[in-house]
Amino acid sequence: MRKKIKNLDLYLLLLPTVLYFVIFRYIPILGIQIAFKDYIPVVGIFDSKWADPLFKHFTRFFNGYYSGRLITNTLLLSFGQLLFGFPIPVLLALLLNEVRSKRVKKFAQTITYAPHFISVVVVVGLLDSLLNVRNGLLNTLLVSWGVLQEPVEFLTSPFWFKPLYILSGIWQEAGWGAVVYMAALAGVDQQLYEAAKVDGAGRLKRIWHVTLPGIAPTMITMLILNCGKVMNVGYEKVYLMQNALNISSSDVISTYVYTTGILKSQFSFSTAVNLFNSVINTILILVVNKISRKVSETSLW
């Protein structure tokens, strides 16, 4: 207690964060029971009757016509982001770390992580300005240069939806993700680089044998956390890019939960779908963490 009283100011600084998680993360867990009830807003969560059978909302989803498409699109988008989006911040951090000029490095860092602060609405607006079939900049240039005979309908094509979503996400988040690895690189012992130089190691060998092992724990931790968000494809960007022509490729679980739960007021059913989503994420993070603990010495717990 003496130590706690002595560090009371630090506990007070921590209090807002603790309250945030308690109020907005833990207390709402009580609402999970909606997935197992025939929830009526007027009656309330606790007074609504339990579903009969108990898992009927889950059964309805899995037997639904669109369930296969929703799960497939969600997995493809998520693993696409993980496969292509995870290495880019690492490579960017390695490149920035090799820049000797501090001014150039700061300028490059600012340019690369600035898109993180751009609104998703603005990002989709930029995509429309670049790729619009009528007057989009890219289509205009490609047609004028003779590369294309006619404009390509990027924004309405089911084929192009996933590449555009993933590439725009990489552009927006790569620089921000590199900040974590830049901080990890700052903690690598400089004497290891000097020893590698003495042993005759070139720049690439120093990166491979010194830099990458130095940031490996951070990389593994970030990979585990990203695996825990595999099913969490944010509905905002997907919903903004979605239209009637590309919906076969753009319809994911999060947009389905939004349309059924908020727009159609099917609260119990949408809660059941979202709960399934969260359970899959939990299983993935547990499995990846266990594999990481066995293969290496790094894990979340």
Side-chain angles (χ1 to χ4, degrees), residues 128-130 132-137 139-140:
D128 182 67
S129 299
L130 289 171
N132 192 284
V133 70
R134 293 181 179 179
N135 52 9
L137 178 62
N139 272 318
T140 303

Side-chain angles (χ1 to χ4, degrees), residues 20 33 51 54 81 112 143 180 243 291 295:
Y20 167 80
Q33 59 187 295
L54 190 63
Q81 283 183 301
T112 52
V143 172
V180 176
N243 53 62
I291 293 172
V295 173

